[in-house]
Every structure is written in C-alpha cells, then in structure tokens.
Amino acid sequence: MKKYIYILFSLLLCSACSEEDLGESLIDTSTPILTETDQWIRSNYTTPYNIEVKYRWDNSELDNTKVLTPPKEEMVRPFLDNMKKIWIEPYTRQGGEDFVKTHIPKLMVLVGSHNMNSDGSIILGQAEGGRKVTIFDLNYISFDFEGLDEYERKKQLEVIVRTFATMHHEFGHILHQTTAYPVEFKKITPNYIRNWMNYTDSEARKMGFISSYSMLNPDEDFVETLSNFLTMSNEDWNSLIDKITIYDENYDEDIAASAVAKANIREKEKMIADYMLAAWKINIYELQTDITEAINELYQ
C-alpha cells in the first residue's frame, strides 16, 4: 500500500512541477561570436596544441586581491604570434611535437597590467600545476621597431625578451615538476634566502646565482638559470659569466672568489644541460641557438 501511495505522490508532484512557470533560463546557451583574434587563436593554438587562451576578463582565473586589467585586444595576436616563434616552435623542433603537445600548458591567461606584490616586486608570470600559465604586462610590449634608434630598439627588445624569458621560466617549472632534476643541483649554492629582492642581479651572480630571484629556492634557481640561458645568445651568456668580478676590501679583484662564483653557475649550466638531454632528449645548446635566431628576426 505504501508503494502505491509513494507513486501517486510522485506523479502529483511531477504534475505540479510541470505546470509551474520557472521563467527564462539565466544560462547563456547562444553560440559566441568569434572575433578575428578568436579565430586566429583557434587556428594557431587551440586546434594544433589544444590550448585555450583567455584574454578577456575572467575573475575566476585571477587573484581578486590584486588590481589587474585585461590586455588590449590589439596586443594579443602579436604577442601570441611571437610567442610561437620564440617558445613553442623551437621546443617543437628540438623536442618533437609529442613532447610539446604533452607538456605545454592547456590554458594561458593573458593580463595587460603589472602584477605588483606588497614588497614592491613584480610577478611576470605564474604556472599552476602544469595546466595553466598566466602572463602579465602585455600592454607594455611592442613589436614595432620602426623609427627607433639603436638604443630605443635595444630597450624595447629587453622588455620583449624579459617577457618570453618568463614563458621559458614557467615551462621549466612544468618540466621539473614532471621529472625532477638531480638533488645535487640544490647543493651547488645552498645559501638560498627569502629576501632576494634586496639584491641586484650583479650581486647575485657574485654569489653564484644567475639572477637575484634565483636566490629564493632551488626550483627558482633551476628555472631562472634555464630561462636566462635560453633567451641569451651563447656569446652573450659566456660574456656575462666571464665578466663576474669580486673585489676585496682594497678594491683589488679576488681572483679565487670570482672563479668560485663563475664555476658555480657553470656547474648549474652543465647539470641543467645533462638533465634536459637525459629527461627530455633536448640539447639546450641547439635550443638556445634556435631561440636566438628567432629573437634576432624580430628586428627584421
């Protein structure tokens, strides 16, 4: 008897529901209109690499405690086009399509403004669990060199290279989070510090680090060394290290201390090169040459 009462009650309930006017759905089910930028992204990123690129404002993807702004749409395509040339395509040629499609982050979030910390430092990019990369500062990048003198061209290129070094930095995190680098790397310069922002890059190199940010912890040291190496020509990289000079209290060069600082960075370079070759079958010297050629083409 209870079973029949339950069925009858259910039928009455469903009948009441069917007669109730719930109003229009609040969910937008219309097909979004794709702009030229959207269509270009679909053809160059989504279809070949299965990457979603978000450049419109989306609170769910960003830190709501920060004051951030979306990129200007006219800045998006030039950035993504050159990112392919300076980051994705060199890795594809050196590591293969399967390597890139497997490890490249599936979501890229582009932000136009700076991302400032309370201590005055600036976050250039963030990687989250190998799935998502967020890049800031897009509104401050220009790929138009027309009419600029050599000094202006150099300063503009520095901004571009710094941004793409961020992409190599974040991708380096994805790689070492997938396959760990040797623990011996952490022992080369174990004196990591939290207040890295109180040091200049020049001071950091005298302590055996390639940049001040690389002093924070071994993971940042690893990816900072990798990204700086890849976004410099081999000639510039060697010159940077060879010029490291430490002076004693009499302002004379401390040759032994200078040699130690240089040797520490060189040891990190070798360990990263060995790791990339063993773990990913990528020769970083060939990759560096490939990226250098792509950067040089920006002038042409």
Side-chain angles (χ1 to χ4, degrees), residues 49-51 87 99-108 126-134 167 169-179:
Y49 301 108
N50 194 28
I51 299 172
W87 174 45
F99 164 81
V100 171
K101 290 178 179 179
T102 300
H103 299 290
I104 202 166
K106 301 308 176 189
L107 173 61
M108 294 185 188
Q126 294 173 320
E128 299 179 19
R131 188 193 72 87
K132 170 184 171 183
V133 168
T134 305
M167 291 305 306
H169 175 112
E170 301 302 340
F171 193 53
H173 276 309
I174 291 172
L175 295 182
H176 80 71
Q177 289 165 4
T178 303
T179 300

Coordinates of all heavy atoms in Angstrom, one line a residue, residues 49-51 87 99-108 126-134 167 169-179:
Y49 N 47.4 22.7 -30.8 CA 48.1 22.4 -29.5 C 47.0 22.1 -28.3 O 47.5 21.8 -27.2 CB 49.0 23.5 -29.0 CG 50.1 23.8 -30.0 CD1 50.1 24.9 -30.8 CD2 51.2 22.9 -30.1 CE1 51.1 25.2 -31.7 CE2 52.2 23.2 -31.0 CZ 52.1 24.3 -31.8 OH 53.1 24.6 -32.7
N50 N 45.8 22.2 -28.6 CA 44.7 22.0 -27.6 C 44.9 23.0 -26.5 O 44.7 22.6 -25.3 CB 44.7 20.6 -27.1 CG 43.4 20.3 -26.3 OD1 42.4 20.8 -26.6 ND2 43.5 19.3 -25.4
I51 N 45.2 24.3 -26.8 CA 45.4 25.3 -25.8 C 44.3 26.3 -25.8 O 43.9 26.8 -26.9 CB 46.8 26.1 -26.0 CG1 48.0 25.1 -26.0 CG2 46.9 27.2 -25.0 CD1 49.3 25.8 -26.4
W87 N 59.1 30.5 -28.3 CA 59.0 29.5 -27.3 C 58.5 28.1 -27.9 O 59.2 27.1 -27.8 CB 58.0 30.0 -26.2 CG 57.7 28.9 -25.2 CD1 58.6 28.1 -24.5 CD2 56.4 28.6 -24.7 NE1 57.9 27.3 -23.7 CE2 56.5 27.6 -23.7 CE3 55.1 29.1 -25.0 CZ2 55.5 27.1 -23.0 CZ3 54.0 28.6 -24.3 CH2 54.2 27.6 -23.3
F99 N 56.3 15.8 -27.5 CA 56.8 16.5 -26.3 C 56.0 17.7 -26.0 O 55.5 17.9 -24.9 CB 58.3 16.7 -26.4 CG 58.8 17.7 -25.4 CD1 59.1 17.2 -24.1 CD2 59.0 19.0 -25.7 CE1 59.6 18.1 -23.2 CE2 59.5 19.9 -24.7 CZ 59.8 19.5 -23.5
V100 N 55.9 18.6 -27.0 CA 55.2 19.9 -26.8 C 53.7 19.7 -26.5 O 53.2 20.3 -25.5 CB 55.4 20.8 -28.0 CG1 54.5 22.0 -27.9 CG2 56.9 21.2 -28.2
K101 N 53.1 18.8 -27.2 CA 51.6 18.7 -27.0 C 51.3 18.0 -25.7 O 50.3 18.2 -25.1 CB 51.1 17.8 -28.2 CG 51.0 18.5 -29.5 CD 50.5 17.6 -30.6 CE 50.4 18.4 -31.9 NZ 49.9 17.5 -33.0
T102 N 52.3 17.2 -25.2 CA 52.1 16.5 -23.9 C 52.3 17.5 -22.7 O 51.5 17.5 -21.8 CB 53.0 15.3 -23.8 OG1 52.8 14.4 -24.8 CG2 52.8 14.7 -22.4
H103 N 53.3 18.3 -22.8 CA 53.7 19.1 -21.7 C 53.3 20.6 -21.7 O 53.4 21.3 -20.7 CB 55.2 19.0 -21.5 CG 55.7 17.6 -21.2 ND1 55.4 16.9 -20.1 CD2 56.3 16.7 -22.0 CE1 55.9 15.7 -20.1 NE2 56.4 15.5 -21.3
I104 N 52.9 21.1 -22.8 CA 52.6 22.5 -22.9 C 51.3 22.7 -22.1 O 50.4 21.9 -22.1 CB 52.4 22.9 -24.4 CG1 52.5 24.4 -24.5 CG2 51.0 22.5 -24.9 CD1 52.6 24.9 -26.0
P105 N 51.2 23.8 -21.3 CA 50.0 24.1 -20.5 C 48.8 24.3 -21.4 O 48.9 24.8 -22.5 CB 50.4 25.4 -19.8 CG 51.5 26.0 -20.6 CD 52.2 24.9 -21.2
K106 N 47.7 23.8 -20.9 CA 46.5 23.7 -21.7 C 45.6 25.0 -21.6 O 44.6 25.2 -22.3 CB 45.6 22.5 -21.4 CG 46.3 21.2 -21.6 CD 46.9 21.1 -23.0 CE 47.7 19.9 -23.2 NZ 48.4 19.9 -24.5
L107 N 46.0 25.9 -20.7 CA 45.3 27.1 -20.5 C 46.3 28.3 -20.3 O 47.2 28.2 -19.5 CB 44.4 27.1 -19.3 CG 43.7 28.4 -18.9 CD1 42.8 28.9 -20.0 CD2 42.9 28.2 -17.6
M108 N 46.2 29.3 -21.1 CA 47.0 30.5 -21.0 C 46.1 31.7 -20.7 O 45.1 31.9 -21.5 CB 47.8 30.8 -22.3 CG 48.9 29.7 -22.5 SD 49.9 30.1 -24.0 CE 50.8 28.6 -24.1
Q126 N 53.0 33.2 -13.9 CA 52.7 32.2 -12.9 C 52.3 30.9 -13.6 O 51.6 30.9 -14.6 CB 51.5 32.6 -12.0 CG 51.8 33.8 -11.1 CD 50.5 34.3 -10.3 OE1 49.4 34.3 -10.9 NE2 50.7 34.6 -9.1
A127 N 52.8 29.8 -13.1 CA 52.4 28.4 -13.6 C 51.7 27.7 -12.5 O 52.2 27.7 -11.3 CB 53.7 27.7 -14.1
E128 N 50.7 27.0 -12.8 CA 49.9 26.3 -11.8 C 49.7 24.8 -12.2 O 48.9 24.5 -13.2 CB 48.5 26.9 -11.6 CG 48.6 28.4 -11.2 CD 47.2 29.0 -11.0 OE1 46.2 28.2 -10.9 OE2 47.1 30.2 -11.0
G129 N 50.4 24.0 -11.6 CA 50.3 22.5 -11.7 C 50.5 22.0 -13.1 O 50.0 20.9 -13.4
G130 N 51.2 22.7 -14.0 CA 51.4 22.2 -15.3 C 50.3 22.4 -16.3 O 50.4 22.1 -17.4
R131 N 49.1 22.9 -15.8 CA 48.0 23.1 -16.6 C 47.7 24.5 -17.1 O 47.3 24.7 -18.2 CB 46.7 22.6 -15.8 CG 45.4 22.5 -16.7 CD 44.2 22.4 -15.8 NE 43.9 23.6 -15.1 CZ 43.1 24.6 -15.6 NH1 42.6 24.5 -16.8 NH2 42.8 25.7 -14.9
K132 N 48.1 25.4 -16.3 CA 47.8 26.8 -16.6 C 49.0 27.7 -16.4 O 49.7 27.6 -15.4 CB 46.6 27.3 -15.6 CG 46.3 28.7 -15.6 CD 45.3 29.0 -14.5 CE 45.1 30.5 -14.3 NZ 44.1 30.8 -13.3
V133 N 49.1 28.7 -17.3 CA 50.1 29.7 -17.2 C 49.5 31.1 -17.4 O 48.7 31.3 -18.3 CB 51.2 29.6 -18.3 CG1 52.1 30.8 -18.3 CG2 52.1 28.3 -18.0
T134 N 49.8 32.0 -16.5 CA 49.3 33.4 -16.5 C 50.4 34.3 -16.8 O 51.5 34.2 -16.2 CB 48.6 33.8 -15.2 OG1 47.6 32.8 -14.9 CG2 48.0 35.2 -15.4
M167 N 58.1 33.0 -20.0 CA 57.4 31.8 -20.6 C 58.4 30.6 -20.4 O 58.0 29.5 -20.0 CB 57.1 32.0 -22.0 CG 55.9 32.9 -22.3 SD 54.4 32.5 -21.3 CE 54.1 30.8 -21.8
H169 N 60.7 30.3 -18.2 CA 60.8 30.1 -16.8 C 59.6 29.2 -16.3 O 59.9 28.2 -15.7 CB 60.8 31.5 -16.1 CG 60.7 31.4 -14.6 ND1 61.8 31.8 -13.8 CD2 59.7 31.0 -13.7 CE1 61.4 31.7 -12.5 NE2 60.2 31.2 -12.5
E170 N 58.4 29.6 -16.7 CA 57.3 28.8 -16.3 C 57.2 27.4 -16.9 O 56.8 26.5 -16.2 CB 56.0 29.6 -16.6 CG 55.9 31.0 -16.0 CD 56.0 31.0 -14.4 OE1 55.8 29.9 -13.8 OE2 56.3 32.0 -13.9
F171 N 57.6 27.3 -18.1 CA 57.7 26.0 -18.7 C 58.7 25.1 -18.1 O 58.6 23.9 -17.9 CB 58.0 26.1 -20.2 CG 57.7 24.8 -21.0 CD1 56.5 24.2 -20.9 CD2 58.7 24.3 -21.8 CE1 56.3 23.0 -21.6 CE2 58.5 23.1 -22.5 CZ 57.3 22.5 -22.5
G172 N 59.8 25.7 -17.6 CA 60.8 25.0 -16.9 C 60.3 24.4 -15.6 O 60.6 23.3 -15.2
H173 N 59.3 25.1 -14.9 CA 58.7 24.6 -13.7 C 57.9 23.4 -14.1 O 57.9 22.4 -13.4 CB 57.7 25.6 -13.1 CG 58.4 26.6 -12.2 ND1 59.2 26.2 -11.2 CD2 58.4 28.0 -12.2 CE1 59.7 27.3 -10.5 NE2 59.2 28.4 -11.1
I174 N 57.2 23.4 -15.2 CA 56.3 22.3 -15.6 C 57.2 21.1 -15.9 O 56.9 19.9 -15.5 CB 55.6 22.6 -16.9 CG1 54.5 23.7 -16.6 CG2 54.9 21.4 -17.5 CD1 53.8 24.2 -17.8
L175 N 58.4 21.3 -16.5 CA 59.3 20.2 -16.8 C 59.8 19.5 -15.5 O 59.8 18.3 -15.4 CB 60.4 20.6 -17.7 CG 60.0 21.1 -19.1 CD1 61.2 21.5 -19.9 CD2 59.2 20.0 -19.9
H176 N 60.3 20.3 -14.6 CA 61.0 19.7 -13.4 C 59.9 19.2 -12.4 O 60.2 18.3 -11.6 CB 61.9 20.7 -12.7 CG 61.3 21.8 -11.8 ND1 60.7 21.5 -10.6 CD2 61.1 23.1 -12.0 CE1 60.2 22.6 -10.1 NE2 60.5 23.6 -10.9
Q177 N 58.7 19.7 -12.5 CA 57.6 19.1 -11.7 C 57.2 17.8 -12.3 O 56.6 17.0 -11.5 CB 56.4 20.1 -11.6 CG 56.7 21.3 -10.8 CD 55.7 22.4 -11.0 OE1 54.7 22.3 -11.8 NE2 55.9 23.6 -10.4
T178 N 57.4 17.6 -13.6 CA 57.1 16.3 -14.2 C 58.2 15.3 -14.0 O 57.9 14.1 -13.6 CB 56.8 16.5 -15.7 OG1 55.8 17.5 -15.9 CG2 56.4 15.2 -16.4
T179 N 59.4 15.7 -14.2 CA 60.6 14.8 -14.0 C 61.6 15.7 -13.2 O 62.1 16.7 -13.7 CB 61.2 14.3 -15.3 OG1 60.2 13.6 -16.0 CG2 62.4 13.5 -15.0

